[in-house]
Amino acid sequence: MSRSLVGLMAGMALGFAAYFGGFWAFLLVLGLGVAGLVAGRLVEGDLEPGDFVRRRDRQERIRDDRRRARGDWQR
């Protein structure tokens, strides 16, 4: 099945949910679609669980703590 056909079916599902179920049904279908996409990418190996978490090294955290203590921390 081509990606354009999958996109068409997803768009139709979202359209039907929005039309017949309202805004909350649209959000529910959208959320389930995103969850399914992420799960599928994890199973296929295109994504790693570590891609969602940014690890910072210990030195960077110490440097940030010192900047906060000095008061020159910028948001």
Side-chain angles (χ1 to χ4, degrees):
M1 187 178 320
S2 70
R3 291 183 184 196
S4 61
L5 186 59
V6 171
L8 175 68
M9 290 190 309
M12 289 179 66
L14 287 171
F16 281 125
Y19 183 76
F20 291 112
F23 180 70
W24 295 111
F26 171 78
L27 288 181
L28 176 69
V29 171
L30 181 65
L32 291 174
V34 169
L37 175 67
V38 169
R41 293 288 180 156
L42 285 170
V43 169
E44 288 180 357
D46 292 338
L47 284 177
E48 295 291 325
D51 292 342
F52 297 105
V53 180
R54 189 184 96 187
R55 299 184 92 173
R56 295 172 37 174
D57 64 337
R58 188 169 186 269
Q59 291 300 321
E60 185 177 343
R61 282 183 282 164
I62 292 171
R63 199 169 40 247
D64 289 347
D65 290 341
R66 287 182 184 156
R67 289 175 59 203
R68 276 193 200 104
R70 282 194 317 248
D72 62 347
W73 182 256
Q74 296 181 8
R75 292 178 186 244

